[in-house]
């Protein structure tokens, strides 16, 4: 079996590549990644010489390049993680989100149609459902919840989902879609809430909390997401959408305080900054379908997962310090400089 993984040099994609190589010693894993600011080859250095692993630096929007890879590697299963993934960047400049997330997805599916595959899996997000009010804890996103996006990021992911499902209905392409809640764990790029707070706290820098910090996210340890995708590509029903989430809702401010406590840093580092435009209040997934159909349940409790994650950032300082000292630094200055000014 040959599995082609796009975006495998990013956060979840790399964890998925490691999971697949560990669990299926007879599978070949082909990683396609254009190495944007969020892709990091050093993440994959431990498997670069693995006999069952191949890496291509290719953009998923590059039709000729993608077709060549399909011709050479003949993948059976394609899992599309490649995306622009940061909401704040999509507010700053939406265009690249539409290119990669929508048009790149189209190129991948066209390649699947042309060369034939047994499964195309689209890695999507709970953000396509929009948000839930804070005063209705009884409400959750199911697969039937209407698409109702807030940011250019979530709009581009929703467009891709609809396109993927249209390729199933119109062309009979064997697709599945998963919509997962917020992930956390090793190799998470330090522009996202949890790794950013860990890195800043370790450097005694301010911890920028948007608005009042009351927004709620439903956090899932990345390995549990990888296991869910593994189940879906092997046993999920073609043409179906599966929600993935672990009923682990947390307010942003509680997470930041927890990180301060775990690292022995003072809460005086917390700095309230201007809110994100269109900021979604609450995400919460109902994972009943994937549990009933595929037997999936999250295995890592948040208390354990966050401890493991913090430990990983302590032990892998070089990985994130290299990132912080590079291009990302310009973005950080632009983003949080502006936010400070607009308070
Ligand atoms: P990430 O930003 O860490 O990684 C994205 C990867 O895709 C990077 O390696 C980047 O180089 C690569 N990439 C970007 N544009 C590309 C292009 N045009 N061609 C080839 N490669 C390209 O993202 P992530 O957090 O690992 O998210 C992976 C997927 O999971 C995304 O589709 C995202 O929408 C989805 N998702 C993420 C979360 C989360 O909490 N992080 C939750 C649900 C769903
Ligand atoms: P993020 O990690 O960007 O994920 P998403 O927006 O896709 O859920 O943000 C998680 C939450 O944390 C979100 O409510 C925005 C908030 N946040 C901050 O308060 N400060 C920050 O510096 C960042 C990056 C996020």
């Amino acid at each position: 079996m040959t599995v082609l993984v796009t975006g495998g040099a990013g956060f979840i994609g790399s964890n998925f590549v490691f999971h697949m190589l560990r669990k299926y010693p007879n599978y070949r894993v082909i990683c396609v990644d254009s190495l944007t600011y969020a892709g990091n080859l050093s993440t994959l250095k431990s498997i670069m010489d693995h006999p069952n692993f191949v890496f291509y630096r290719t953009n998923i929007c590059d039709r000729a390049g993608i077709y060549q890879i399909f011709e050479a590697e003949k993948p059976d299963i394609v899992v599309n993680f490649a995306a622009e993934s940061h909401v704040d960047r999509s507010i700053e400049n939406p265009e690249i989100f539409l290119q990669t997330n929508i048009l790149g997805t189209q190129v991948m599916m066209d390649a699947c149609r042309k060369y034939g595959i047994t499964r195309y899996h689209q890695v999507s997000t709970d953000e396509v459902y929009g948000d839930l009010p804070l005063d209705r804890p009884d409400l959750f996103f199911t697969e039937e919840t209407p698409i109702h996006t807030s940011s250019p990021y979530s709009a581009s992911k929703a467009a891709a989902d609809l396109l993927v499902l249209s390729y199933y209905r119109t062309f009979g392409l064997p697709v599945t879609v998963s919509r997962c809640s917020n992930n956390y764990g090793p190799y998470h790029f330090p522009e996202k809430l949890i790794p950013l707070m860990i890195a800043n706290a370790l450097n005694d820098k301010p911890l920028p909390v948007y608005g009042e910090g009351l927004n709620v996210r439903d956090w899932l340890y990345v390995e549990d997401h990888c296991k869910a995708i593994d189940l879906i590509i092997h046993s999920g029903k073609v043409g179906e959408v599966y929600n993935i989430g672990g009923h682990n809702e947390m307010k942003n401010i509680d997470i930041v305080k927890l990180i301060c406590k775990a690292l022995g840093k003072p809460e005086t580092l917390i700095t309230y900054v201007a809110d994100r435009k269109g900021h979604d209040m609450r995400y919460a997934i109902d994972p009943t379908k994937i549990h009933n159909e595929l037997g999936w349940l999250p295995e890592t409790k948040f208390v354990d997962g966050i401890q493991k994650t913090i430990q990983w950032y302590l032990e892998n300082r070089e990985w994130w310090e290299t990132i912080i000292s590079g291009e990302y630094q310009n973005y950080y200055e632009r983003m949080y400089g502006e936010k400070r000014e607009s308070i």
Side-chain angles (χ1 to χ4, degrees), residues 9-12 33-34 36 39 59-60 81 83 85 100 124 153 157 183:
F11 166 42
I12 311 175
D33 198 298
S34 63
T36 66
N59 192 315
I60 61 165
F81 288 93
S85 68
T100 289
S124 187
Y153 163 68
K157 292 296 289 185
N183 285 213

Side-chain angles (χ1 to χ4, degrees), residues 86 127 182 191-193 208 210 217 252 276 279 336:
H86 192 38
E127 299 192 29
N182 287 58
E191 69 182 351
K192 305 281 172 67
L193 179 76
Y210 298 169
R217 298 292 183 263
N252 293 341
R276 173 185 281 171
H279 199 171
Y336 293 97

Side-chain angles (χ1 to χ4, degrees), residues 50-298:
H50 193 294
N52 293 348
F53 180 72
V54 182
F55 179 83
Y56 287 93
R57 181 173 191 175
T58 303
N59 192 315
I60 61 165
C61 301
D62 170 6
R63 188 173 288 273
I66 293 295
Y67 285 8
Q68 264 178 18
I69 295 171
F70 271 70
E71 246 165 56
E73 304 293 348
K74 303 185 174 42
D76 301 290
I77 298 175
V78 172
V79 185
N80 186 26
F81 288 93
E84 288 293 333
S85 68
H86 192 38
V87 173
D88 293 323
R89 286 183 190 254
S90 83
I91 295 167
E92 221 195 6
N93 182 11
E95 189 160 346
I96 183 75
F97 286 73
L98 309 190
Q99 278 162 2
T100 289
N101 299 2
I102 307 173
L103 298 177
T105 295
Q106 185 209 357
V107 168
M108 293 308 298
M109 286 191 302
D110 285 344
C112 290
R113 279 187 68 207
K114 185 171 162 71
Y115 294 97
I117 40 91
T118 58
R119 179 65 62 87
Y120 172 89
H121 183 73
Q122 178 73 3
V123 180
S124 187
T125 165
D126 60 357
E127 299 192 29
V128 301
Y129 300 121
D131 64 351
L132 297 164
L134 290 181
D135 60 357
R136 289 293 307 273
D138 55 314
L139 296 180
F140 296 92
F141 298 136
T142 73
E143 290 78 1
E144 270 69 53
T145 301
I147 300 284
H148 188 80
T149 55
S150 311
S151 69
Y153 163 68
S154 56
S156 69
K157 292 296 289 185
D161 285 12
L162 296 179
L163 194 64
V164 169
L165 294 170
S166 82
Y167 270 54
Y168 168 66
R169 167 89 186 234
T170 305
F171 304 117
L173 193 72
V175 308
T176 37
V177 175
S178 56
R179 294 178 179 150
C180 190
S181 59
N182 287 58
N183 285 213
Y184 67 102
Y187 300 108
H188 203 178
F189 195 83
E191 69 182 351
K192 305 281 172 67
L193 179 76
I194 290 181
L196 181 119
M197 297 299 166
I198 297 173
N200 280 16
L202 285 172
N203 287 332
D204 298 305
K205 282 178 59 180
L207 308 176
V209 171
Y210 298 169
E212 294 178 83
L214 300 179
N215 307 64
V216 169
R217 298 292 183 263
D218 180 0
W219 295 93
L220 183 72
Y221 193 62
V222 62
E223 179 70 17
D224 282 323
H225 185 188
C226 295
K227 287 179 180 165
I229 294 173
D230 177 359
L231 274 175
I232 295 169
I233 59 178
H234 288 101
S235 314
K237 210 166 137 218
V238 159
E240 294 287 315
V241 173
Y242 292 90
N243 282 357
I244 308 171
H247 282 304
N248 181 55
E249 291 178 49
M250 306 265 301
K251 282 192 209 111
N252 293 341
I253 188 65
D254 292 340
I255 294 207
V256 178
K257 287 183 177 170
L258 188 154
I259 290 170
C260 287
K261 192 161 179 227
L263 292 173
K265 298 290 180 179
E267 287 184 10
T268 48
L269 286 176
I270 294 173
T271 312
Y272 292 93
V273 300
D275 209 352
R276 173 185 281 171
K277 291 190 179 80
H279 199 171
D280 281 338
M281 283 315 299
R282 171 176 169 249
Y283 302 144
I285 282 273
D286 175 356
T288 306
K289 179 175 174 179
I290 189 167
H291 176 61
N292 288 348
E293 282 188 23
L294 305 178
W296 179 86
L297 275 178

